[in-house]
């Protein structure tokens, strides 16, 4: 029988296929190993910068907003942080008491519990009251900007006719523009009605400046005159008493038996003003409106109410107060239909 000789560099067809299969399989394994090595881990590592501890949820601080609003660095950003896309849908209502809440200073993401993924537990954590680089201001040095924001929130309505917005509606509109929930269950309006019911008063008795101060602020000055005899003299005396206490963003309220009025204190150059809606007898700028939203001389407005009290022979009550943003947080409007505790 003859022997089939094969050139050393040539293989039979079957052997060629086996060798090719062996080579291809080996290469495939190598490719898979390379691909597996190149794939990122399923849980991406957290950034290297330290998380900031906002503190723990307790009876005194029952939600995340309470912790944020008390933080010396992030208190002004409270609602901007919580309504950020990365935070707005988190399960705030299921946070248990004693849970520590953290904030990523770069992304502003709020996290707690299982949200603290991977190496977060071993990372340095900043102390709750300590500023991070670039945030040198402390709570004592930081000026509350809520009064300024309230003034700015009502200025766009200057020139509105009184029929569209009275003095009380103007203040309420300013608060709602800042995110305060007024209407509906849990709203500031319902709180005012509850206060009236508790004191045996008509349902809307506290729908005025005094009610707003009582429910969500603190009085700065209050005076009741049972009878006004000399309007000019007595108004001048009152202005001297409230002058050192005046600040932008305060609520100034007048009340006689038959009428009431309220407005927001502001300032133009060296003149204290009152942004309000009513008879525009002393506007700082000329306007075509005789009655509506305007900015008037505060001193002139005070004198007018003393004159009116004498004319109608009614007692006059003047209240100056400051609204408290922390108290107003109770009524802060949610972004979703279902109320959330944040």
């Amino acid at each position: 029988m003859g022997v089939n000789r094969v050139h050393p560099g040539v293989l039979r067809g079957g052997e060629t296929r086996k060798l090719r299969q062996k080579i291809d399989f080996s290469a495939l394994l190598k490719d898979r190993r390379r691909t597996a090595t190149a794939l990122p881990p399923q849980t991406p590592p957290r950034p290297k910068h330290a998380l900031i501890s906002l503190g723990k949820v307790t009876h005194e601080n029952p939600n995340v907003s309470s912790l944020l609003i008390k933080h010396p660095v992030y208190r002004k950003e409270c609602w901007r942080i919580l309504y950020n896309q990365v935070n707005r849908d988190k399960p705030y209502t299921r946070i248990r008491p004693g849970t520590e809440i953290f904030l990523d200073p770069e992304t502003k993401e709020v996290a707690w519990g299982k949200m603290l993924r991977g190496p977060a537990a071993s990372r340095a954590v900043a102390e709750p009251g300590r500023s991070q680089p670039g945030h040198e201001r402390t709570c004592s040095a930081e000026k509350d900007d809520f009064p300024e924001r309230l003034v700015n929130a009502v200025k766009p309505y200057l020139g509105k006719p009184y029929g569209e917005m009275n003095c009380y509606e103007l203040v309420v509109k300013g608060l709602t523009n800042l995110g305060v929930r007024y209407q509906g269950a849990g709203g500031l309006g319902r709180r005012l009605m509850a206060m009236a019911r508790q004191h045996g008063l008509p349902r809307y008795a506290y729908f005025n400046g005094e009610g707003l101060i009582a429910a969500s602020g603190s009085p700065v000055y209050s005076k009741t005159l049972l009878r006004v005899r000399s309007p000019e003299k007595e108004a001048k005396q009152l202005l001297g008493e409230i002058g050192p206490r005046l600040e932008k963003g305060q609520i100034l309220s007048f009340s006689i038996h038959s009428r009431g009025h309220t407005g927001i204190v502001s300032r133009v150059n060296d003149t204290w003003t009152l942004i309000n809606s009513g008879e525009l007898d002393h506007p700082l700028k000329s306007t075509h409106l005789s009655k509506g939203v305007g900015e008037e001389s505060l001193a002139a407005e005070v004198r007018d109410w003393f004159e009116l009290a004498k004319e109608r022979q009614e007692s006059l009550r003047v209240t100056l107060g400051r609204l408290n943003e922390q108290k107003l947080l109770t009524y802060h409007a949610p972004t979703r239909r279902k109320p959330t505790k944040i």
Side-chain angles (χ1 to χ4, degrees):
M1 172 184 281
V3 178
N4 291 326
R5 297 185 180 274
V6 180
H7 190 276
V10 179
L11 297 176
R12 294 186 180 91
E15 292 175 307
T16 302
R17 285 192 298 273
K18 290 178 181 179
L19 182 59
R20 186 181 296 117
Q21 289 172 358
K22 182 178 180 181
I23 294 171
D24 291 346
F25 183 67
S26 176
L28 181 60
L29 285 176
K30 289 179 181 178
D31 288 340
R32 285 182 177 176
R33 290 193 192 101
R34 284 196 297 268
T35 303
T37 303
L39 286 174
Q42 291 184 358
T43 303
R46 301 283 290 186
K48 293 181 180 180
H49 47 266
L51 294 176
I52 294 172
S53 174
L54 299 176
K56 293 183 178 180
V57 171
T58 62
H59 177 72
E60 292 76 19
N61 298 298
N63 44 51
V64 177
S65 61
S66 300
L67 296 172
L68 270 170
I69 205 66
K70 293 179 180 178
H71 196 277
V73 174
Y74 296 102
R75 59 190 296 260
K76 286 187 176 183
E77 298 182 65
C78 174
W79 300 110
R80 191 179 302 114
I81 289 172
L82 292 176
Y83 294 148
N84 188 294
Q85 188 66 40
V86 297
N87 294 319
R88 64 175 56 181
D89 294 322
K90 293 194 172 180
Y92 297 104
T93 57
R94 296 201 291 271
I95 300 177
R96 296 181 178 181
T99 301
E100 190 167 9
I101 310 298
F102 296 90
L103 177 72
D104 187 318
E106 296 295 324
T107 65
K108 297 298 190 294
E109 181 177 2
V110 175
W112 65 88
K114 293 182 180 179
M115 298 178 195
L116 303 173
R117 299 170 293 179
S122 63
R123 286 164 43 207
V125 176
E127 294 182 14
R130 187 169 294 175
S131 298
Q132 297 301 299
H135 298 280
E136 290 80 9
R137 291 196 301 175
T138 62
C139 187
S140 59
E142 185 176 31
K143 184 180 179 181
D144 182 13
D145 70 340
F146 178 77
E148 186 76 28
R149 286 188 282 127
L150 180 58
V151 170
N152 292 335
V154 296
K155 280 190 173 181
Y157 301 105
L158 292 172
K160 283 278 186 183
Y162 186 82
E164 293 183 19
M165 186 175 293
N166 63 33
C167 62
Y168 181 71
E169 290 169 338
L170 173 65
V171 179
V172 168
K173 190 64 176 177
L175 292 174
T176 56
N177 284 349
L178 295 179
V180 176
R181 184 169 70 253
Y182 185 84
Q183 303 288 349
L188 178 55
R190 292 287 180 89
R191 171 60 182 154
L192 295 173
M193 286 189 280
M195 286 169 52
R197 185 170 61 251
Q198 290 168 5
H199 292 90
L201 298 173
R203 189 178 188 183
Y204 303 113
Y206 285 114
F207 277 34
N208 49 45
E210 294 174 27
L212 291 174
I213 294 168
S216 57
S218 56
V220 173
Y221 175 93
S222 181
K223 187 171 186 177
T224 300
L225 296 96
L226 296 179
R227 185 175 180 181
V228 176
R229 299 177 183 275
S230 176
E232 185 72 26
K233 180 180 177 181
E234 293 176 63
K236 185 177 180 179
Q237 180 182 342
L238 184 137
L239 286 167
E241 292 170 358
I242 68 173
R245 299 176 171 90
L246 287 174
E247 294 177 2
K248 289 182 70 173
Q250 291 174 330
I251 302 297
L252 181 60
S253 176
F254 304 94
S255 177
I256 59 177
H257 179 71
S258 56
R259 286 183 60 185
H261 189 61
T262 192
I264 297 174
V265 176
S266 189
R267 190 176 177 89
V268 176
N269 299 323
D270 295 329
T271 302
W272 286 107
T273 64
L274 189 69
I275 300 176
N276 65 108
S277 183
E279 300 286 348
L280 298 178
D281 299 319
H282 313 283
L284 262 66
K285 296 181 180 179
S286 59
T287 175
H288 65 282
L289 283 178
S290 60
K291 190 174 184 180
V293 180
E295 186 168 10
E296 300 184 274
S297 163
L298 185 146
E301 189 74 5
V302 169
R303 287 193 295 270
D304 281 355
W305 277 89
F306 273 80
E307 292 280 1
L308 184 62
K310 182 185 179 182
E311 178 186 328
R312 298 195 179 188
Q313 297 184 1
E314 297 178 8
S315 62
L316 171 66
R317 182 177 180 84
V318 180
T319 305
L320 178 70
R322 179 186 299 109
L323 298 186
N324 186 307
E325 188 172 17
Q326 282 187 274
K327 290 183 180 180
L328 287 166
L329 295 180
T330 308
Y331 316 106
H332 208 285
T335 56
R336 296 182 296 176
R337 290 184 180 179
K338 293 184 178 180
T340 57
K341 177 183 176 184
I342 58 177

